[in-house]
Structure formats: C-alpha cells, structure tokens
Amino acid sequence: PVDIATSDGARSTTTFKDVAGNAAAIADLGEVVEFLREPRRFAGMGAKIPKGILLEGPPGTGKTLMARALAGEAKTNFFAMSGPDFSAMFLGVGTMRVKSLFRRARKAGGGVIFIDEIDSLGGKRGRQNGHVEDDRTLNQFLVELDGFDASAGIIVIAATNRASDLDPALLRKGRFDRSVTVGLPTVDERAAILELHASKRRIPLGTDVELGRLARLMPGASGADLEGLLDEAAILPVRGG
C-alpha cells in the first residue's frame, strides 16, 4: 500500500486563540478563513482564491500551529504531511502518495492541506545529490496543485525555513500565490506565549514569577524554546519532591 500515516482529515479544534505572537502573520492568514468558508461566493465574483500559501520562518516559530488554527477557524478539514514523507526509493511511490493526499482532500469536500518541510518535496529540480524520482514527485505535486478548481475549498499551506532552495515553478503565480513570514517573537510576544502556555496547561506559578522579566531575559527565543522552558519549570519541582 502507498498510503502512509497522515492526519485523518478531521475538523481541527485549534483556533487563533491558541496562538500567541506573530500577530502580523495571523492577520495575513485570517483573510484566508473567509475563502475557505465560502469559496463559491468569491468564485462567483470572479475572484481568484489563493491555492497555496508559503509560511517561511525559523524552526519552532509555530508554523504548524498556525496552519492548524487556520483550519479550525474555517471549521474545515485538516490534512498534514511532511515533505520527507513523499520521498521513496521505489519508482512511482512518491507520485502515488501525492495523488492519494489530494484525492482524500477532494473526497472530504475540501480543507487545508499542510506540508511541513516543503523544501524536501519542492527543492529545485536537477539539484546536486537529487534523485530523478524526487523530480517526478514534484512534477506530480505541481499537476495536482494546478488541477483543482478554486471553488473546491482546498488551500495548500507549506512551511519551510529554506525558501531559497525551492523550485521556481512552485512559487509562480497560480500556485503558491502568497508568502507569509513567521519570525521570532518580540519581547511582548514572548511574554504572551509564556502566559498562554502557563494558563492553558495550568502550570502553578510562584508569586515571585514575572513572565515579562523572563521574556526580556530570552532574546531570540522561539515559541518552542519558551514552551520547553515551562516544561523544565514544571518538571524540576516534581523531581525535587
């Protein structure tokens, strides 16, 4: 069988309320929610709905979380795979995995297809150390991207931290129409991320804990780094009894 583990296409329960930091990126993605909710209304006015959105930014900045939140806001299905999942030693397996993913999205009536590490799937064709099967898989992905109608209610969101490695054909108009930069959080955004994780996970904090001060002490930290900090903070007192 060529199908591999993906998200099952279920409705995402994550929303933008579960995302802190990167307000500009969330605002850009918020415009897409209406496209997904009422695709035929936009198509009826002759508006071209974006087929693909590229999320570009350092690791740990919440690109996957944002894509899941977008699907949750639109109350639509969420399918997720990683670029390396499409790589295969055997001829034709990669193309079949691409076909299977888009077929499932169409059968479900639309939704968000999220592909993490798109540079593994969409790297420049003919690149050094590349494999001819990788090029075939990318070609099939481009065919599928061109093949669905805008009113189908499908939007492909891809994430990468190496946009310069992507094939130019992937980034042309009509495919990945929009690019959203997801940067490292500012000091205020770091404080908001710490507060969100602490409250959502009900981590008991001492009266002398100042999350704003911790945020100022961690310049350059990503959302994943800050979540890891709270993990350690919760584990250490348990170890100490």
Side-chain angles (χ1 to χ4, degrees):
V2 296
D3 283 341
I4 55 177
T6 68
S7 67
D8 58 6
R11 296 291 173 95
S12 172
T13 57
T14 305
T15 67
F16 289 144
K17 291 181 181 178
D18 300 306
V19 184
N22 269 300
I26 293 174
D28 288 339
L29 292 176
E31 296 179 357
V32 184
V33 173
E34 291 302 318
F35 294 152
L36 285 167
R37 284 181 176 172
E38 299 181 273
R40 288 181 176 82
R41 184 162 65 92
F42 286 90
M45 285 294 293
K48 286 191 175 182
I49 300 171
K51 288 188 173 183
I53 299 173
L54 182 68
L55 300 181
E56 180 184 359
T61 48
K63 296 184 287 294
T64 303
L65 180 63
M66 288 183 187
R68 194 177 291 277
L70 171 62
E73 290 285 342
K75 296 180 173 58
T76 191
N77 308 301
F78 185 75
F79 301 85
M81 287 184 72
S82 178
D85 292 337
F86 295 98
S87 299
M89 179 185 298
F90 301 105
L91 187 66
V93 173
T95 59
M96 288 301 295
R97 288 174 177 171
V98 171
K99 290 179 181 178
S100 174
L101 177 61
F102 279 87
R103 182 167 57 247
R104 291 177 63 193
R106 284 192 293 267
K107 187 176 180 180
V112 172
I113 294 177
F114 176 70
I115 301 177
D116 197 11
E117 299 179 19
I118 186 66
D119 42 280
S120 295
L121 167 64
K124 294 176 182 176
R125 285 169 288 189
R127 60 194 180 277
Q128 188 178 8
N129 298 325
H131 191 275
V132 66
E133 182 62 13
D134 295 333
D135 291 350
R136 289 195 185 99
T137 303
L138 174 56
N139 288 338
Q140 184 61 46
F141 180 76
L142 296 176
V143 168
E144 294 290 341
L145 201 58
D146 292 339
F148 65 83
D149 186 78
S151 62
I154 298 174
I155 286 185
V156 182
I157 299 180
T160 183
N161 55 9
R162 297 188 302 174
S164 59
D165 291 348
L166 296 178
D167 193 277
L170 196 64
L171 302 177
R172 74 156 174 80
K173 284 294 182 181
R175 288 170 178 167
F176 280 87
D177 297 276
R178 297 190 179 189
S179 178
V180 176
T181 300
V182 184
L184 292 168
T186 64
V187 60
D188 291 336
E189 290 172 340
R190 292 196 295 273
I193 291 169
L194 287 169
E195 290 172 7
L196 178 65
H197 282 299
S199 61
K200 192 174 179 182
R201 294 161 59 179
R202 299 179 182 178
I203 297 176
L205 300 177
T207 56
D208 59 339
V209 173
E210 299 178 27
L211 295 180
R213 180 172 179 271
L214 289 175
R216 291 192 298 273
L217 291 171
M218 297 188 69
S222 68
D225 294 330
L226 296 170
E227 184 179 10
L229 172 71
L230 289 176
D231 279 336
E232 290 300 317
I235 290 171
L236 287 174
V238 177
R239 285 179 179 169

